[in-house]
Amino acid sequence: MQTRFTWVSPEMNRAEVLDIMKARGFKQIPILGPNMELLGLHTIDDLLGTKPRENAALILCGGFGTRLHPITATIPKPMILVAGRPILERIVLHLVGSGFRKIFLATHYLSEIIEAHFEDGKKFGCSIEYIKETVPMGTGGALGLLPPSITSPLLVMNGDLVTNFDAGRMIDHHTASGNMVTVGYSTHIHEVPFGVLDLQGDRVYGWQEKPRVSFPVSAGVYVVDPAVPPRLRPLGPTPITWVVDNCLSQGEPVGVFPIGDDWVDVGRHEELKKARGDA
């Protein structure tokens, strides 16, 4: 028995716990409460996922991040730090913890910084291959650059997302639904900052004070059938909207999966402040 030992709090997330275990070479680490009572035990198998998935993941990292200048003048957007860790590292560790062992990173702008950090992925518990774009290719274009070895539903996501969505459950939902594409969505709520009038001619028939309206919005997370990437190989830069429209035009099912509220798209300074807890 030891009176001095390494432990973690229950609030510490998976990526932080994995970082400690990797740095100290631990296979397990206890979880203690505020009164130093034992609450549980993290094991390396639990954190990395006891059952590796056959599915691969494609993370899109090639954008210029112009809306986050001057921060992105010297660093690619996915490598911006949130709580001391690059956004992209958080995504990779989250996917590894969900059972993904094969990850493709589609890179372009300042790609050498990303490659130097992740290398072949072994230190993060996975295998990483790089898809190097000569020009930004968009989601569809990056899919078209994948090797022909993809034979299972593929998870695709933007590299600037701070989220802990259930990636494994999304894959399982996609497979069970028989979709060609499944779009992860969140809910965006907009508040009109004025009183909205219901008018008929010059008369008022109703009044809503600062109404709130909600919209389902794409969360930048998708699952695609392995039949999709071969269609995109000759197209060049292609947005995800083209991919969805192409499926719909052929009568192929496109479904949705709720990502939930634990999701921030770090595309602007306001979102970055929110992700960092400064908003």
Side-chain angles (χ1 to χ4, degrees):
M1 302 292 291
Q2 299 288 333
T3 57
R4 298 179 63 185
F5 57 90
T6 301
W7 55 276
V8 297
S9 70
E11 293 79 20
M12 188 170 290
N13 64 42
R14 184 201 311 270
E16 293 170 327
V17 175
L18 273 173
D19 201 38
I20 293 172
M21 296 177 78
K22 182 176 63 176
R24 304 294 297 275
F26 294 157
K27 299 296 184 183
Q28 56 190 23
I29 191 167
I31 309 166
L32 301 188
N35 298 315
M36 301 298 288
E37 70 274 23
L38 180 65
L39 300 180
L41 183 72
H42 285 301
T43 67
I44 195 68
D45 285 340
D46 288 338
L47 289 171
L48 291 180
T50 55
K51 184 179 179 181
R53 289 185 167 271
E54 64 178 7
N55 311 90
L58 169 65
I59 307 176
L60 309 170
C61 313
F64 293 103
T66 52
R67 291 180 297 175
L68 281 173
H69 273 204
I71 298 174
T72 50
T74 57
I75 186 171
K77 183 168 56 172
M79 296 302 291
I80 292 174
L81 299 183
V82 170
R85 186 186 302 276
I87 296 171
L88 184 55
E89 183 175 320
R90 290 178 172 276
I91 293 173
V92 168
L93 289 176
H94 177 63
L95 294 182
V96 170
S98 299
F100 291 82
R101 295 294 180 267
K102 182 67 174 180
I103 297 176
F104 296 92
L105 300 182
T107 61
H108 176 63
Y109 176 64
L110 298 177
S111 60
E112 65 277 6
I113 294 176
I114 295 174
E115 293 182 38
H117 185 84
F118 290 97
E119 299 176 333
D120 61 3
K122 287 183 180 178
K123 63 182 179 181
F124 297 97
C126 63
S127 171
I128 290 178
E129 290 187 22
Y130 297 91
I131 297 175
K132 299 181 181 180
E133 303 173 344
T134 55
V135 296
M137 295 290 286
T139 305
L143 282 168
L145 297 175
L146 285 168
S149 57
I150 303 298
T151 57
S152 302
L154 175 78
L155 181 74
V156 183
M157 61 184 297
N158 295 342
D160 58 356
L161 302 179
V162 177
T163 177
N164 285 311
F165 78 104
D166 194 331
R169 194 160 68 90
M170 184 173 180
I171 288 277
D172 294 340
H173 170 82
H174 171 89
T175 302
S177 300
N179 293 329
M180 186 61 70
V181 176
T182 298
V183 181
Y185 78 95
S186 186
T187 301
H188 175 74
I189 298 175
H190 174 71
E191 181 178 292
V192 179
F194 309 103
V196 175
L197 304 177
D198 178 9
L199 299 180
Q200 295 184 25
D202 60 355
R203 290 184 179 273
V204 175
Y205 284 84
W207 182 312
Q208 296 183 67
E209 184 61 29
K210 298 180 180 178
R212 290 160 61 91
V213 291
S214 63
F215 304 92
V217 297
S218 170
V221 182
Y222 318 93
V223 180
V224 301
D225 187 89
V228 171
R231 304 178 184 178
L232 301 163
R233 289 193 179 120
L235 294 180
T238 307
I240 187 63
T241 50
W242 187 96
V243 178
V244 170
D245 287 343
N246 176 259
C247 292
L248 294 176
S249 68
Q250 299 187 53
E252 296 168 335
V254 175
V256 293
F257 178 85
I259 296 298
D261 297 330
D262 184 14
W263 169 82
V264 180
D265 182 348
V266 185
R268 300 179 299 176
H269 287 279
E270 292 80 1
E271 285 81 17
L272 178 57
K273 289 179 181 179
K274 180 180 178 181
R276 287 174 167 173
D278 298 331

